[in-house]
Amino acid sequence: MHIRRKILKATIVVMALLFASNAAAVINPKLLKQAQSNAPEQLILQVLKVTVDKKGRDWKVLATARVQEVKASRSGLKVGAEITIRYTSRRPPERPGWTGPKPTPVLSKGLIGAYLNGPGRDGAYRPAARSRSFTAPRRLRNNPPPGKQRKRAK
């Protein structure tokens, strides 16, 4: 009986270690929505140029964009301003069964809604809501302005 308990404990420890190395939490959608609402820069942008440096799982993205609409801007951005967006998009591992947070999408040329932080010391803006930092422009237009959240019907 004593040996069975030791084997059971050892099995549990080994399984916990195996699963812990695979563990990556999926981010609650409510937290991502909150990050969007709290983003200091809420803009509609025309992405003009994108360069991606693909090294392993970390893809370094550098983009230039022109501000088309300003929903909120703590830094005082105006329509027509050109900004630089810089961030790293960490790609998920290529193995079956992996779960975890979605990577920040790699930008492409075109019109987008953006929830950003910045500018940083380098003058570049960065994603504020991880995988939901970039969205269709209509979705950003339909969100209430910061601090004026819609009341939900009960």
Side-chain angles (χ1 to χ4, degrees), residues 30-46:
K30 288 181 182 178
L31 294 176
L32 293 173
K33 185 82 170 158
Q34 185 177 14
Q36 286 177 330
S37 297
N38 295 335
E41 311 296 327
Q42 297 179 24
L43 312 163
I44 294 179
L45 304 171
Q46 179 69 43

Side-chain angles (χ1 to χ4, degrees), residues 52-145:
V52 182
D53 182 13
K54 298 178 183 178
K55 289 188 179 168
R57 289 180 43 211
D58 291 337
W59 293 9
K60 298 194 182 309
V61 180
L62 179 64
T64 304
R66 183 174 291 117
V67 177
Q68 300 295 310
E69 286 184 41
V70 177
K71 184 157 184 177
S73 178
R74 196 174 294 159
S75 67
L77 283 172
K78 304 284 183 215
V79 172
E82 276 197 19
I83 65 169
T84 300
I85 302 168
R86 181 188 317 264
Y87 62 97
T88 300
S89 179
R90 180 149 241 222
R91 312 316 296 169
E94 294 180 16
R95 63 176 181 245
W98 184 86
T99 59
K102 292 180 184 176
T104 304
V106 174
L107 286 172
S108 57
K109 288 183 180 181
L111 199 62
I112 61 154
Y115 299 93
L116 302 172
N117 286 321
R121 289 184 184 165
D122 60 357
Y125 291 78
R126 290 181 170 65
R130 302 181 71 127
S131 63
R132 296 216 184 144
S133 293
F134 306 113
T135 186
R138 64 179 167 68
R139 296 186 91 186
L140 189 131
R141 284 184 185 118
N142 292 336
N143 281 344

